[in-house]
């Protein structure tokens, strides 16, 4: 294709712009539509099968159901799993609004498992509470959500643009006023003027290279390349906990979750090669991942998900879930190797590193209204820092962002869009066309992500991280020289710039936090101990005025609920929230 | 830049005898946009080796023409 002139563009207008049509973005659009605003939902893929749940989900990991668990216990569990470094007000929203969200999803047609007394069949995986709730027909969750988006009342308020990928959020005087991107099929240049912007673009799942070497064989949906992290950063928003990587236990080579959460209630569990259990608690945390890594590296490795001891009928039931919902090709993978759960336990490994707040705690800094530090810019889902927020948290924060962005958009003065930022984005998007014979994206991306593996995988050290940073700076040149011929290739090239930005953030944040914390997620071999006196705080980063990355710390806000067995090292007293103060609090 | 082309085993295969002329269901839903319609045959095929082996292409095909294999490097 030819580079389109800067002036040749499609200009879109809306009150609320939602970037990303996955779990959080779809819910944000649905809620915003109830607030009398015009919503534009941009999805780089197709909303029918987009985001982390491209196919479906077998259950929710964090539903706090009245009578089964308490919001306070959930918040305390998540606080403990994150070594105390959480803004409890954000987690409390997920805890208190999750039940209403389960009911809302039920009203849409999503089925949750109930017991013989018609009560929600929650299961215990976390350290103390029971929050895991299976979704027996989880393969249909995307279908159900799409039907809502296309319902007559919603359709008149929500415009969907598939295959449009934004690359930058536009700002005027530090306020988000729209975005700029392109259509990955036609190459058309697109600008969007908006009253408020919601980023719901998913995790940075294409950061580390899977051990298979296959670029797209990632744990996360590989369309989620850190787009939202990079866009928030360049818009001036603060990001936080970027050194707290996402690393997950999974089926080796297949690289999908082994789903101990699914298998546990049926009697499945993780064992080492000696057949012994080795994790203290199956709930995914940095501590659990450190135990997994230690086992893999020991003479007791490899590790397995053990199912072979179970009766045939039970295994068939597990297969019925694992091979049909979240990652249905799991069955194809095992069959291809001639492996059967009845005869052979499933070899497990750990994933490549990524950034994600759905599973870990690395994301864009948000408060309990989903607001970022940039006025008019909201974030939700895997990319927004609400620790271990998973699917229910993505729905809850999509809902919150939809509500608050709508309010903001109602009062927003509409400014002309900043032409200088539009011109920079145009250059970023179309640059590879001007030297089409430059290095292809696949090779550049492979090299970039191999450096992530070489230098960033825990255990981290200052020397390795510094070499990583040096490599990511050097890769700016490779990326500038990358060549492309088609709109599709331009999309992949733009994604490589997002991955590089995320890699640099990961290196700088990991260097700055001069201690070890969160088990494997930020294990520094050169600084093996936690330094509570200095580092019991959030480490945030943002793009400074000069364009350099700046690091800053934020104190951990006073806890609103007590955390049994955990003494805050900074001695800050709890400040219980006053009744009705928090929007989502239970009546 | 000096360049070479090489063969690559792609994970998604489309049975050309079953694929419906002019149908784009699998192309529409692929998260990675890795399927395309061959302008000469009007049938779907995988145009890039970019696959999460997630399965919407196969699930949406009305005539079971699409098969998602595990990418060779993982198989």
């Amino acid at each position: 294709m030819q580079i389109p002139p800067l002036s040749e563009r499609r200009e879109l207008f809306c009150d609320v712009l939602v970037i990303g049509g996955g779990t959080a973005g779809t819910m944000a659009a649905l809620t915003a539509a109830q607030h009398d605003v015009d919503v534009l939902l941009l999805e780089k893929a197709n909303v029918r099968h987009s985001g982390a749940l491209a196919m479906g989900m077998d259950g929710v990991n964090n539903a706090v159901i009245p009578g089964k668990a308490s919001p306070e216990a959930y918040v305390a569990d998540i606080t403990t799993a994150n070594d105390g470094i959480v803004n409890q007000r954000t987690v409390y929203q997920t805890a208190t609004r999750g039940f209403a969200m389960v009911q809302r999803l039920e009203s849409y047609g999503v089925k949750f498992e109930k017991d013989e007394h018609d009560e929600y069949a929650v299961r215990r995986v976390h350290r103390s509470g029971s929050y895991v709730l299976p979704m027996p027909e989880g393969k249909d969750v995307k279908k159900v959500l799409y039907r809502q988006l296309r319902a007559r009342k919603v359709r008149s308020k929500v415009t969907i643009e598939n295959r449009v990928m934004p690359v930058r959020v536009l700002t005027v005087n530090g306020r988000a006023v729209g975005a700029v991107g392109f259509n990955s099929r036609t190459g058309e240049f697109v600008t969007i003027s908006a009253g408020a912007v919601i980023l719901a673009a998913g995790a940075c799942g294409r950061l580390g290279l899977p051990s298979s070497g296959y670029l797209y064989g990632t744990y996360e949906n590989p369309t989620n390349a850190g787009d939202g992290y990079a866009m928030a950063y360049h818009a001036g928003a603060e990001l936080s906990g970027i050194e707290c990587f996402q690393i997950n236990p999974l089926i080796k080579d297949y690289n999908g979750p082994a789903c101990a959460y699914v298998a546990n209630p049926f009697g499945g569990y993780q064992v080492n090669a000696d057949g012994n259990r080795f994790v203290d608690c199956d709930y995914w945390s940095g501590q659990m991942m450190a135990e997994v890594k230690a086992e893999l590296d020991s003479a007791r490795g490899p590790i397995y998900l053990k199912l072979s001891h179970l009766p045939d009928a039970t295994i068939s039931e597990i297969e019925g879930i694992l091979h049909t919902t979240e990652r249905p090709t799991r069955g194809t993978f095992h069959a291809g190797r001639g492996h059967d759960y009845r005869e052979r336990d499933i070899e497990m490994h750990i994933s490549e590193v990524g950034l994600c707040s759905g599973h870990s705690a690395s994301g864009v800094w948000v408060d309990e209204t989903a607001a970022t530090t940039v006025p008019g810019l909201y974030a939700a889902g895997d990319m927004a820092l609400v620790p271990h927020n998973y699917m229910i948290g993505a729905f809850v924060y999509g809902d919150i962002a939809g509500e608050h962005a709508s309010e903001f958009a109602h009062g927003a003065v509409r400014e002309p869009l900043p032409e200088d930022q539009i011109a920079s984005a145009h250059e970023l998007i179309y640059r590879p066309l001007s030297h089409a014979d430059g290095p292809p994206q696949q090779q550049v991306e492979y090299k970039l992500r191999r450096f992530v593996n070489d230098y960033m995988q825990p255990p981290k050290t200052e020397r390795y991280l510094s070499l990583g940073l040096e490599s990511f700076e050097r890769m700016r040149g490779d990326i500038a020289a990358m060549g492309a011929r088609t709109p599709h290739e331009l999309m992949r090239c733009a994604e490589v710039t997002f991955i590089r930005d995320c890699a640099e953030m990961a290196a700088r944040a990991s260097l700055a936090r001069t201690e070890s914390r969160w088990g494997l997620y930020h294990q520094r071999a050169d600084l093996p101990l936690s330094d509570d006196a200095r580092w019991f705080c959030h480490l945030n980063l943002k793009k400074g005025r000069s364009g350099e990355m700046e690091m800053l710390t934020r104190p951990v806000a006073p806890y609103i609920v007590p955390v049994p067995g955990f003494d805050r090292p900074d001695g800050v007293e709890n400040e219980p929230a006053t009744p009705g103060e928090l929007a989502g609090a239970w009546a | 830049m000096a360049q070479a082309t090489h063969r690559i085993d792609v994970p998604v295969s489309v049975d050309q005898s079953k694929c419906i002329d002019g149908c784009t269901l699998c192309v529409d839903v692929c998260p990675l946009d890795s399927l395309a319609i061959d302008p000469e045959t009007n049938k779907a095929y995988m145009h890039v080796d970019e696959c999460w082996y997630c399965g919407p292409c196969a699930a949406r095909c009305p005539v079971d023409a699409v098969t998602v294999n595990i990418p060779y490097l993982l198989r």
Side-chain angles (χ1 to χ4, degrees):
Chain A
M1 71 170 284
Q2 301 291 311
I3 299 177
L6 181 59
S7 58
E8 194 180 303
R9 62 178 87 152
R10 184 158 168 232
E11 295 178 335
L12 301 172
F13 297 87
C14 61
D15 297 316
V16 173
L17 170 63
V18 182
I19 295 176
T23 313
T26 296
M27 192 54 70
L30 289 172
T31 293
Q34 297 169 354
H35 284 77
D36 195 32
V37 288
D38 288 321
V39 183
L40 174 60
L41 177 58
L42 295 187
E43 169 53 52
K44 73 200 280 193
N46 182 308
V47 290
R48 296 209 300 177
H49 286 288
S50 56
L53 317 183
M55 264 311 258
M57 186 51 68
D58 39 46
V60 303
N61 292 339
N62 54 342
V64 181
I65 307 287
K68 304 286 182 187
S70 81
E72 287 71 24
Y74 174 78
V75 172
D77 255 346
I78 299 301
T79 305
T80 308
N82 284 280
D83 291 4
I85 301 183
V86 297
N87 175 359
Q88 283 193 342
R89 284 171 181 265
T90 61
V91 181
Y92 197 70
Q93 292 279 45
T94 300
T96 53
R97 289 173 175 242
F99 179 53
M101 184 54 67
V102 165
Q103 291 176 312
R104 180 169 168 181
L105 293 167
E106 269 186 327
S107 78
Y108 292 168
V110 177
K111 300 267 192 306
F112 294 93
E113 189 162 307
K114 304 262 178 78
D115 64 16
E116 65 273 24
H117 309 295
D118 205 33
E119 295 194 10
Y120 294 98
V122 286
R123 285 155 183 181
R124 185 178 150 192
V125 176
H126 292 61
R127 203 160 277 281
S128 63
S130 302
Y131 317 111
V132 173
L133 178 59
M135 281 165 33
E137 293 167 30
K139 63 178 167 32
D140 296 328
V141 64
K142 293 297 280 187
K143 213 178 284 179
V144 168
L145 289 169
Y146 187 69
R147 202 158 51 217
Q148 289 301 315
L149 273 178
R150 295 295 78 187
R152 193 157 14 121
K153 260 174 34 193
V154 177
R155 186 188 279 269
S156 62
K157 304 304 292 179
V158 179
T159 304
I160 299 172
E161 290 282 347
N162 289 315
R163 308 292 174 191
V164 172
M165 183 171 103
V167 299
R168 289 290 185 264
V169 169
L170 298 169
T171 58
V172 170
N173 298 326
R175 173 167 74 86
V177 297
V180 53
F182 70 109
N183 184 304
S184 67
R185 288 245 175 108
T186 64
E188 184 179 43
F189 190 48
V190 180
T191 61
I192 305 104
S193 167
V197 179
I198 299 170
L199 282 170
C204 180
R206 239 158 80 203
L207 187 59
L209 187 65
S211 47
S212 66
Y214 188 59
L215 290 178
Y216 310 96
T218 44
Y219 175 84
E220 293 283 347
N221 182 334
T223 57
N224 297 341
D227 313 33
Y229 289 74
M231 281 189 273
Y233 173 75
H234 289 289
E238 282 180 36
L239 291 92
S240 185
I242 299 301
E243 70 280 17
C244 182
F245 293 174
Q246 167 184 223
I247 306 166
N248 297 323
L250 38 68
I251 299 171
K252 186 176 180 295
D253 296 346
Y254 180 75
N255 229 22
C259 277
Y261 290 8
V262 172
N264 280 152
F266 292 100
Y269 54 92
Q270 296 173 78
V271 294
N272 60 24
D274 298 331
N276 298 320
R277 293 180 190 241
F278 60 91
V279 289
D280 177 38
C281 167
D282 281 313
Y283 181 64
W284 288 6
S285 66
Q287 184 52 44
M288 186 262 209
M289 281 311 304
E291 291 167 20
V292 168
K293 175 85 163 52
E295 208 68 11
L296 284 167
D297 291 346
S298 77
R300 299 175 303 277
I303 61 168
Y304 299 92
L305 177 63
K306 184 169 168 56
L307 301 177
S308 57
H309 60 294
L310 298 172
D312 187 75
T314 307
I315 292 181
S316 297
E317 199 177 344
I318 295 172
E319 285 174 336
I321 302 168
L322 291 185
H323 298 173
T324 58
T325 49
E326 188 183 358
R327 301 298 307 277
T329 53
R330 257 188 284 230
T332 314
F333 172 75
H334 294 305
R337 292 191 175 180
H339 295 171
D340 186 320
Y341 295 169
R342 287 157 193 81
E343 293 151 11
R344 196 181 162 117
D345 297 319
I346 305 162
E347 185 183 352
M348 295 176 63
H349 203 71
I350 57 174
S351 70
E352 64 283 355
V353 303
L355 306 178
C356 178
S357 200
H359 295 94
S360 179
S362 35
V364 176
W365 180 257
V366 291
D367 67 11
E368 65 269 33
T369 69
T372 72
T373 54
V374 170
L377 184 63
Y378 298 79
D382 277 348
M383 60 166 288
L385 180 61
V386 182
H388 300 205
N389 218 17
Y390 288 100
M391 186 179 79
I392 281 294
F395 280 132
V396 164
Y397 269 82
D399 176 47
I400 293 172
E403 178 191 338
H404 288 273
S406 299
E407 279 170 19
F408 189 96
H410 275 305
V413 178
R414 303 302 284 266
E415 307 274 359
L417 295 182
E419 282 299 322
D420 56 334
Q421 293 173 34
I422 292 173
S424 302
H426 185 275
E427 162 73 11
L428 175 77
I429 296 165
Y430 297 108
R431 175 176 61 186
L433 294 173
S434 60
H435 35 76
D437 287 339
Q441 163 258 332
Q442 297 90 327
Q443 283 183 303
V444 176
E445 181 173 331
Y446 186 97
K447 191 201 273 191
L448 171 65
R449 292 170 59 192
R450 182 177 59 76
F451 287 136
V452 171
N453 284 17
D454 290 348
Y455 298 127
M456 309 294 288
Q457 286 190 127
K460 313 170 187 177
T461 73
E462 186 188 350
R463 290 194 186 96
Y464 281 123
L465 292 168
S466 300
L467 285 170
L469 186 56
E470 189 185 308
S471 308
F472 307 144
E473 289 295 344
R474 192 172 60 241
M475 287 302 293
R476 286 179 191 274
D478 296 48
I479 288 169
M482 236 179 342
R485 289 183 165 77
T486 66
H488 183 89
E489 290 175 2
L490 289 180
M491 167 168 67
R492 295 282 172 260
C493 288
E495 287 169 347
V496 175
T497 72
F498 302 148
I499 297 167
R500 199 218 66 85
D501 287 342
C502 288
E504 183 185 343
M505 288 189 247
R508 291 192 189 278
S510 296
L511 279 165
R513 185 177 280 277
T514 49
E515 62 153 4
S516 286
R517 194 169 287 271
W518 305 298
L520 187 64
Y521 296 162
H522 182 63
Q523 183 187 334
R524 288 275 306 253
D526 52 349
L527 298 162
L529 300 178
S530 289
D531 180 356
D532 280 332
R534 183 166 173 204
W535 284 112
F536 186 75
C537 58
H538 302 276
L539 173 64
N540 287 19
L541 62 83
K542 65 173 184 175
K543 190 174 184 176
R545 284 174 198 278
S546 62
E548 294 295 301
M549 204 175 287
E550 286 178 4
M551 296 289 158
L552 60 148
T553 59
R554 281 179 177 262
V556 177
Y559 291 160
I560 56 175
V561 307
V563 185
F566 183 82
D567 291 321
R568 271 186 75 132
D570 58 3
V572 170
E573 296 284 331
N574 295 350
E575 288 179 12
T578 54
E581 181 194 354
L582 292 169
W586 282 0
Chain B
M1 190 186 77
Q3 294 181 18
T5 55
H6 60 279
R7 293 192 311 119
I8 202 147
D9 177 298
V10 298
V12 174
S13 58
V14 181
D15 183 335
Q16 301 288 305
S17 68
K18 287 187 185 169
C19 181
I20 302 167
D21 222 36
C23 173
T24 62
L25 280 177
C26 61
V27 176
D28 292 344
V29 296
C30 173
L32 286 139
D33 214 6
S34 301
L35 303 173
I37 301 296
D38 183 329
E40 288 188 6
T41 62
N42 238 8
K43 305 284 176 88
Y45 76 110
M46 192 169 212
H47 74 110
V48 283
D49 179 25
E50 298 167 3
C51 188
W52 196 41
Y53 38 104
C54 52
C57 52
R60 293 275 171 186
C61 178
V63 293
D64 284 334
V66 180
T67 305
V68 180
N69 294 302
I70 302 298
Y72 174 75
L73 291 175
L74 287 63
R75 211 176 289 160

